[in-house]
Amino acid sequence: MKKLSLLYAFLFVAAFVSCKEDEDPTFKKSDFIGKWEETAGTPPDDDSEICTTSKEEIEITETELSIISTCDGTSGSIDVDYTFDNKRTINFTLIGVEVKTVILELSGTTLKVDNYYNGT
């Protein structure tokens, strides 16, 4: 009987630890405030070259998210308010499109995200 109780205790601890590892990571707002450079993008649908040199940066403050695009030396930016769920999701509306950004990885130099548009 003692061995059976020990086995149940072991299984309980193993289940608890495995469930704990499956939890999504959470982040603090102060972790992602700053300027982030986009390193990968989606090519235009028509396969034409819109810019010969382009760069996109995201600057995040306490209340605002700025998307700064540079195309052949000409820059423009769009500023939007955002909300953060105090875990890992940033929500904002960009030109009438609702965007849900889920933070996948966050370190001193890297911010990896998945974007979902209009709840897709």
Side-chain angles (χ1 to χ4, degrees):
M1 186 69 169
K2 195 173 196 176
K3 288 182 183 180
L4 189 56
S5 295
L6 187 60
L7 177 63
Y8 283 132
F10 176 78
L11 290 175
F12 176 78
V13 170
F16 179 78
V17 169
S18 67
C19 289
K20 190 90 170 144
E21 290 173 2
D22 289 343
E23 290 180 12
D24 291 333
T26 58
F27 303 98
K28 295 181 294 191
K29 186 184 242 186
S30 60
D31 292 339
F32 60 80
I33 290 177
K35 194 177 247 184
W36 304 92
E37 185 175 326
E38 186 174 321
T39 57
T42 305
D45 291 336
D46 61 3
D47 294 331
S48 65
E49 285 290 325
I50 295 174
C51 297
T52 54
T53 60
S54 66
K55 178 179 165 183
E56 194 162 283
E57 294 176 320
I58 307 295
E59 185 170 2
I60 304 172
T61 66
E62 197 60 42
T63 59
E64 198 170 67
L65 185 141
S66 299
I67 301 168
I68 306 152
S69 295
T70 304
C71 177
D72 294 335
T74 303
S75 291
S77 69
I78 298 173
D79 302 328
V80 296
D81 293 333
Y82 70 90
T83 59
F84 177 59
D85 71 353
N86 293 319
K87 292 184 181 183
R88 59 183 281 201
T89 304
I90 300 169
N91 294 296
F92 59 95
T93 301
L94 181 64
I95 313 172
V97 177
E98 293 175 19
V99 181
K100 175 182 172 182
T101 299
V102 178
I103 301 171
L104 303 175
E105 180 184 330
L106 181 61
S107 70
T109 58
T110 303
L111 172 64
K112 290 185 180 179
V113 300
D114 269 345
N115 290 312
Y116 300 92
Y117 304 94
N118 286 335
T120 58

